[in-house]
Amino acid sequence: MTNEIRERLRRTRRVTTPWSDDEARGISGTRLDELLERWANGYDWGVHERRIGAYPWVTVRAGGTDLRVIHQRSADPDAPAVVLLHGWPDSVLRFERVLPLLADMHVVVPALPGFPFSAPLTVPGMSFNRIAGIVADAMDHLGYRRYTLSGGDVGGAVAELLAAEHPDRVAALHLTNTAPQHAFTADPAKLAPDAAAHLRRSAQWFKAEGGYIAEQSTRPNTLAVALGDSPAGLAAWIVEKLESWSDESAFTPDELLTWVTAYWVTGTIGTSFAAYAEPAAFPDRIDTPTVLSVFAHDTKPEPRSYAEAFLNICHYVEHPAGGHFAAWEQPAAYADDVRRAVESSG
């Protein structure tokens, strides 16, 4: 960590509200103070930076841009290929605990455009659809003609679109949620009763918890200034989501700070909003064989009937533990479901 960020942290102007310790109103002041104190005095980014830098990174020219990926090759040249696609507000770090469990496969983990560790994003138009095309192009350049896609959140949406647009390349999908965009076009009258009930619950979730989506998708420039200039603001914005969307004790303080620092040192919080801010087009249905992993503490666990309205569900696997960052929280269960998807591809 540079002296500059430590000095910024030590000069943080504490902001209080009438609800400073009410976690239902966002990260508590006490929790944030604890993290900022650790970040400024004792946290060692260098240890994590060296570990992350030691992964087998390669840069591929794809879709008119550079795509940086972790490319973990199997010793078996004929091993299946798997692409792990992260979401927001995380990065390739979501999959650190899964990578050793998939050593017998060729694994590609793209740093999605605009996110930490990616090539700089300076032009508009980086929609879900365009990201899907870039990943498909990168896999072609890496020599993979067929592969399984695995992911959730932003990564899950990208996976769905890539499967829809390149069904000849995507052998199977492994998802932890269906793309949220389906909820905006689904007709409740055509859904099974429990699927329609899930749609109503999702609408309530977006009303209560989706304010960040509205801001990131409509006013990304304004928000980028606030979060990109203030490490305290960045930590508050990201840590609130990491803790509230995950199962209990999913992250140590230093793990939280590593995920936040990844955004700070790469200056990517503003560009990570790109996929939210750009319009995307989703198909009504995707026929690729799909394994859906439902983790009990995710934000909107979906019944099978809802997912089947949009996807070809061949395995629906419910897990009693784990949340939105399942690959990090429950890596063994996540890896097992990736293998189910690979096997379902035939």
Side-chain angles (χ1 to χ4, degrees):
M1 292 247 298
T2 65
N3 290 332
E4 187 265 344
I5 186 175
R6 292 191 192 279
E7 183 60 27
R8 279 175 176 263
L9 287 163
R10 289 167 184 155
R11 291 189 291 106
T12 297
R13 184 174 69 173
R14 279 1 188 221
V15 178
T16 60
T17 72
W19 323 280
S20 287
D21 286 317
D22 181 358
E23 293 183 355
R25 304 276 185 160
I27 191 169
S28 75
T30 300
R31 177 60 170 155
L32 183 59
D33 283 348
E34 292 171 352
L35 289 168
L36 296 184
E37 173 63 24
R38 173 64 181 169
W39 205 4
N41 302 292
Y43 172 76
D44 186 357
W45 164 248
V47 171
H48 305 285
E49 183 179 32
R50 288 188 290 275
R51 184 189 72 252
I52 296 163
Y55 285 119
W57 289 96
V58 298
T59 300
V60 181
R61 188 68 183 173
T65 189
D66 288 335
L67 184 69
R68 297 192 71 226
V69 307
I70 296 172
H71 188 194
Q72 177 179 283
R73 293 180 181 271
S74 167
D76 178 4
D78 297 322
V82 173
V83 185
L84 306 178
L85 297 164
H86 66 79
W88 187 93
D90 53 280
S91 65
V92 298
L93 301 183
R94 175 188 287 229
F95 298 111
E96 281 196 286
R97 293 174 173 173
V98 168
L99 279 170
L101 305 180
L102 300 176
D104 58 324
M105 302 181 183
H106 302 299
V107 183
V108 177
V109 191
L112 296 180
F115 285 82
F117 315 115
S118 66
L121 179 61
T122 58
V123 296
M126 195 56 72
S127 66
F128 289 116
N129 299 83
R130 186 177 174 201
I131 294 172
I134 289 169
V135 173
D137 197 15
M139 291 301 287
D140 188 53
H141 281 287
L142 290 171
Y144 298 112
R145 300 294 178 262
R146 290 278 284 177
Y147 40 86
T148 294
L149 300 173
S150 174
D153 196 87
V154 169
V158 170
E160 286 193 33
L161 288 172
L162 205 165
E165 294 168 7
H166 299 281
D168 57 320
R169 304 184 193 184
V170 180
L173 288 172
H174 167 241
L175 304 172
T176 56
N177 57 270
T178 62
Q181 288 79 4
H182 296 306
F184 305 132
T185 58
D187 182 354
K190 296 180 180 179
L191 296 175
D194 61 338
H198 170 74
L199 199 61
R200 292 192 293 272
R201 289 193 300 271
S202 292
Q204 288 301 311
W205 185 90
F206 281 111
K207 182 178 180 181
E209 302 286 346
Y212 77 99
I213 298 174
E215 187 69 14
Q216 290 177 184
S217 61
T218 62
R219 298 295 185 271
N221 287 349
T222 305
L223 187 60
V225 174
L227 303 184
D229 190 55
S230 168
L234 182 69
W237 194 258
I238 291 179
V239 170
E240 177 209 310
K241 304 308 182 191
L242 296 182
E243 293 197 317
S244 66
W245 293 353
S246 60
D247 206 347
E248 188 175 357
S249 302
F251 299 91
T252 67
D254 276 20
E255 288 163 355
L256 290 170
L257 292 173
T258 297
W259 286 32
V260 174
T261 304
Y263 275 88
W264 181 264
V265 299
T266 59
T268 51
I269 188 61
T271 53
S272 75
F273 302 154
Y276 289 85
E278 302 289 355
F282 281 77
D284 293 332
R285 183 171 178 79
I286 298 165
D287 292 325
T288 305
T290 301
V291 173
L292 183 65
S293 300
V294 177
F295 290 85
H297 298 281
D298 204 346
T299 56
K300 303 180 294 297
E302 299 152 317
R304 180 169 187 151
S305 62
Y306 180 81
E308 286 181 331
F310 315 105
L311 299 165
N312 176 16
I313 302 296
C314 57
H315 293 285
Y316 178 85
V317 189
E318 294 181 279
H319 297 281
H324 194 65
F325 309 98
W328 176 265
E329 301 173 60
Q330 297 291 325
Y334 191 96
D336 285 347
D337 288 352
V338 170
R339 293 183 184 282
R340 284 190 176 91
V342 172
E343 291 165 2
S344 73
S345 68

